[in-house]
Amino acid sequence: MVTGLSGWAGGAAAEPEPGKTYVIGTDITFAPFEFQDANGNFVGIDMDLMEAIAKDQNFKYQIKPLGFNAAVQALESGQVDGVIAGMSITDERKQKFDLSDPYFDSGVVMAISKNNDTVKSYEDLKGKKVAVKTGTEGYRFAESIASKYGFKIVPFDESSQMYDDVKTGNSIACFDDYPVLAYGVTQNNGLKIVTEKEKGGSYGFAVNKGMNQELMEKFNTGLINLRASGEYDRILEKYLGENASGPANQSRWELIQESLPSLLKGLGKTLLYTIASLFLAFIFGLVFGFMKVGQNRFLRGVATVFVDVFRGIPLIVLAFFIYFGIPQAFGFTMPLFLAAILTLSLNAGAYVTEIIRGGIQSVDRGQMEAARSLGLPYRKAMIKIIIPQAVRVMIPAFINQLVITLKDTSILSAIGLVELTQSGKIIIARTFSSFDIWLVVAIMYLIVITILTKISGYLEGKVRRG
């Protein structure tokens, strides 16, 4: 949590609501406005402005890193109190949100690979693909001229992804906000800017329409005070001035060493969410699995619906529905960890249900009939005779589901879950070293999944011998 403590000289500090800590959503893959440094601190123009305004206006806040699209949806659903993420002030957004006084005037430029000498203007884009980031001024500008110049738009959720698409040659160029692209070029992102800055929109801080007006008032008042004191200019100079820090002079190995603590922390969270989710999924599987093989037709129908629903909905859609849809519909706030665990456990629970059903039904029906003919009750026959044999069939499938759920955690980075994949994205947003970081992330996944596969083989062999 970042907290404001006292006012800057030149502005009256407002008293915070007792015990109130504002939750602020942001995108930490949008340097130089918001990103994470090597020490794990949230830095950038937006982050420094938020800290300075909170100090000036004497209020507390907590940053919630979600990604731009997820942050906007979180604001709509009431999961956060405000959003600061290089959000352009547009008439469309004014319909849904209250937006602050502009704190930065942007503009759009086009960039190409630094090794490309063939594209010099928009006319050279005809018949080509152009990468853009969804929800940005660059996306809207590209959309407005795409038909005129005959190019196709390829959307991405993060700036680093569209830069990589241009560097690999899949797209010929990209459009982005001038300060973001200019900063990336200084950090050796592999691109060069080839057009003059188009007149663009301004960035603003957003809250939900008609809500958190005290926070909006504090932001606007604090911004006025920062401009008057010169602190605003110092923040801009820090990231965009002549003395702004350049790329770190690191070898590939030094970059990996620096990134490992964050990646290992992300891996730890991946394993934690996987284990917690599978524990719940196993409970769901037991309950609905036995319902599916039971004798009650109604319960069999309920279990079938559970499996069909949660196995049929794509995981990312389920995540959006649970984290954004349900809270917005019923007017409450859901913690991210709870939404993540619910999403994974419901999805995995549907598959575990089928694993248990299949394992039980793989045992010859004659064994149940023989047990019942000897006077054993149905439940006792299941526990003593059927289940021990079914477990032998289930173990490999359980381990396989563990591997699948572990990999599925990466999908939840779309709602802001900072696990191993999201940790890699955050580092790449700062360093633009996609190959090195994704290679390390892939190796970490491979090591963990290989270990799980070996454990599966060992347990399967032991059960068969037993």
Side-chain angles (χ1 to χ4, degrees), residues 204-215:
F205 173 72
V207 298
N208 254 336
K209 199 78 174 174
M211 298 178 64
N212 285 307
Q213 294 304 299
E214 75 288 344
L215 175 59

PDB file of all heavy atoms in Angstrom, residues 204-215:
ATOM      1  N   GLY A 204      -6.653  11.429 -18.326  1.00  0.00           N
ATOM      2  CA  GLY A 204      -7.377  11.824 -17.126  1.00  0.00           C
ATOM      3  C   GLY A 204      -7.511  10.684 -16.146  1.00  0.00           C
ATOM      4  O   GLY A 204      -7.389   9.514 -16.509  1.00  0.00           O
ATOM      5  N   PHE A 205      -7.756  11.023 -14.910  1.00  0.00           N
ATOM      6  CA  PHE A 205      -8.042  10.068 -13.833  1.00  0.00           C
ATOM      7  C   PHE A 205      -9.540   9.824 -13.830  1.00  0.00           C
ATOM      8  O   PHE A 205     -10.330  10.759 -14.028  1.00  0.00           O
ATOM      9  CB  PHE A 205      -7.570  10.656 -12.501  1.00  0.00           C
ATOM     10  CG  PHE A 205      -7.947   9.857 -11.288  1.00  0.00           C
ATOM     11  CD1 PHE A 205      -7.323   8.654 -11.006  1.00  0.00           C
ATOM     12  CD2 PHE A 205      -8.931  10.322 -10.420  1.00  0.00           C
ATOM     13  CE1 PHE A 205      -7.669   7.921  -9.872  1.00  0.00           C
ATOM     14  CE2 PHE A 205      -9.279   9.595  -9.289  1.00  0.00           C
ATOM     15  CZ  PHE A 205      -8.646   8.391  -9.020  1.00  0.00           C
ATOM     16  N   ALA A 206      -9.981   8.576 -13.629  1.00  0.00           N
ATOM     17  CA  ALA A 206     -11.403   8.239 -13.768  1.00  0.00           C
ATOM     18  C   ALA A 206     -11.981   7.628 -12.496  1.00  0.00           C
ATOM     19  O   ALA A 206     -11.319   6.856 -11.795  1.00  0.00           O
ATOM     20  CB  ALA A 206     -11.589   7.263 -14.926  1.00  0.00           C
ATOM     21  N   VAL A 207     -13.231   7.999 -12.214  1.00  0.00           N
ATOM     22  CA  VAL A 207     -14.044   7.321 -11.204  1.00  0.00           C
ATOM     23  C   VAL A 207     -15.387   7.009 -11.850  1.00  0.00           C
ATOM     24  O   VAL A 207     -15.721   7.544 -12.909  1.00  0.00           O
ATOM     25  CB  VAL A 207     -14.248   8.184  -9.937  1.00  0.00           C
ATOM     26  CG1 VAL A 207     -12.919   8.492  -9.265  1.00  0.00           C
ATOM     27  CG2 VAL A 207     -14.992   9.478 -10.263  1.00  0.00           C
ATOM     28  N   ASN A 208     -16.161   6.151 -11.217  1.00  0.00           N
ATOM     29  CA  ASN A 208     -17.476   5.819 -11.758  1.00  0.00           C
ATOM     30  C   ASN A 208     -18.386   7.040 -11.743  1.00  0.00           C
ATOM     31  O   ASN A 208     -18.283   7.904 -10.870  1.00  0.00           O
ATOM     32  CB  ASN A 208     -18.116   4.683 -10.953  1.00  0.00           C
ATOM     33  CG  ASN A 208     -18.092   3.374 -11.708  1.00  0.00           C
ATOM     34  OD1 ASN A 208     -18.016   3.348 -12.932  1.00  0.00           O
ATOM     35  ND2 ASN A 208     -18.152   2.267 -10.984  1.00  0.00           N
ATOM     36  N   LYS A 209     -19.294   7.091 -12.692  1.00  0.00           N
ATOM     37  CA  LYS A 209     -20.195   8.229 -12.844  1.00  0.00           C
ATOM     38  C   LYS A 209     -20.959   8.482 -11.546  1.00  0.00           C
ATOM     39  O   LYS A 209     -21.644   7.600 -11.027  1.00  0.00           O
ATOM     40  CB  LYS A 209     -21.177   7.948 -13.980  1.00  0.00           C
ATOM     41  CG  LYS A 209     -21.863   9.174 -14.543  1.00  0.00           C
ATOM     42  CD  LYS A 209     -20.943   9.931 -15.461  1.00  0.00           C
ATOM     43  CE  LYS A 209     -21.643  11.073 -16.159  1.00  0.00           C
ATOM     44  NZ  LYS A 209     -20.706  11.886 -16.947  1.00  0.00           N
ATOM     45  N   GLY A 210     -20.783   9.690 -10.994  1.00  0.00           N
ATOM     46  CA  GLY A 210     -21.523  10.072  -9.802  1.00  0.00           C
ATOM     47  C   GLY A 210     -21.025   9.480  -8.505  1.00  0.00           C
ATOM     48  O   GLY A 210     -21.630   9.689  -7.450  1.00  0.00           O
ATOM     49  N   MET A 211     -19.915   8.747  -8.547  1.00  0.00           N
ATOM     50  CA  MET A 211     -19.391   8.097  -7.339  1.00  0.00           C
ATOM     51  C   MET A 211     -17.987   8.626  -7.027  1.00  0.00           C
ATOM     52  O   MET A 211     -17.292   9.137  -7.896  1.00  0.00           O
ATOM     53  CB  MET A 211     -19.356   6.577  -7.521  1.00  0.00           C
ATOM     54  CG  MET A 211     -20.717   5.948  -7.756  1.00  0.00           C
ATOM     55  SD  MET A 211     -20.629   4.155  -8.036  1.00  0.00           S
ATOM     56  CE  MET A 211     -20.009   3.597  -6.445  1.00  0.00           C
ATOM     57  N   ASN A 212     -17.603   8.479  -5.750  1.00  0.00           N
ATOM     58  CA  ASN A 212     -16.267   8.878  -5.295  1.00  0.00           C
ATOM     59  C   ASN A 212     -15.903  10.306  -5.724  1.00  0.00           C
ATOM     60  O   ASN A 212     -14.780  10.579  -6.160  1.00  0.00           O
ATOM     61  CB  ASN A 212     -15.207   7.891  -5.814  1.00  0.00           C
ATOM     62  CG  ASN A 212     -15.224   6.574  -5.064  1.00  0.00           C
ATOM     63  OD1 ASN A 212     -15.147   6.546  -3.846  1.00  0.00           O
ATOM     64  ND2 ASN A 212     -15.355   5.492  -5.807  1.00  0.00           N
ATOM     65  N   GLN A 213     -16.874  11.206  -5.556  1.00  0.00           N
ATOM     66  CA  GLN A 213     -16.623  12.592  -5.947  1.00  0.00           C
ATOM     67  C   GLN A 213     -15.591  13.260  -5.050  1.00  0.00           C
ATOM     68  O   GLN A 213     -14.869  14.163  -5.490  1.00  0.00           O
ATOM     69  CB  GLN A 213     -17.938  13.379  -5.926  1.00  0.00           C
ATOM     70  CG  GLN A 213     -18.939  12.915  -6.986  1.00  0.00           C
ATOM     71  CD  GLN A 213     -18.365  12.953  -8.391  1.00  0.00           C
ATOM     72  OE1 GLN A 213     -17.983  14.011  -8.879  1.00  0.00           O
ATOM     73  NE2 GLN A 213     -18.289  11.792  -9.058  1.00  0.00           N
ATOM     74  N   GLU A 214     -15.511  12.808  -3.789  1.00  0.00           N
ATOM     75  CA  GLU A 214     -14.496  13.373  -2.894  1.00  0.00           C
ATOM     76  C   GLU A 214     -13.093  13.020  -3.371  1.00  0.00           C
ATOM     77  O   GLU A 214     -12.170  13.837  -3.296  1.00  0.00           O
ATOM     78  CB  GLU A 214     -14.719  12.904  -1.447  1.00  0.00           C
ATOM     79  CG  GLU A 214     -14.328  11.463  -1.136  1.00  0.00           C
ATOM     80  CD  GLU A 214     -15.244  10.400  -1.733  1.00  0.00           C
ATOM     81  OE1 GLU A 214     -16.374  10.730  -2.156  1.00  0.00           O
ATOM     82  OE2 GLU A 214     -14.843   9.230  -1.775  1.00  0.00           O
ATOM     83  N   LEU A 215     -12.926  11.806  -3.931  1.00  0.00           N
ATOM     84  CA  LEU A 215     -11.639  11.404  -4.473  1.00  0.00           C
ATOM     85  C   LEU A 215     -11.310  12.223  -5.718  1.00  0.00           C
ATOM     86  O   LEU A 215     -10.166  12.672  -5.895  1.00  0.00           O
ATOM     87  CB  LEU A 215     -11.654   9.910  -4.799  1.00  0.00           C
ATOM     88  CG  LEU A 215     -10.413   9.340  -5.502  1.00  0.00           C
ATOM     89  CD1 LEU A 215      -9.154   9.572  -4.661  1.00  0.00           C
ATOM     90  CD2 LEU A 215     -10.594   7.852  -5.797  1.00  0.00           C
TER      91      LEU A 215
END
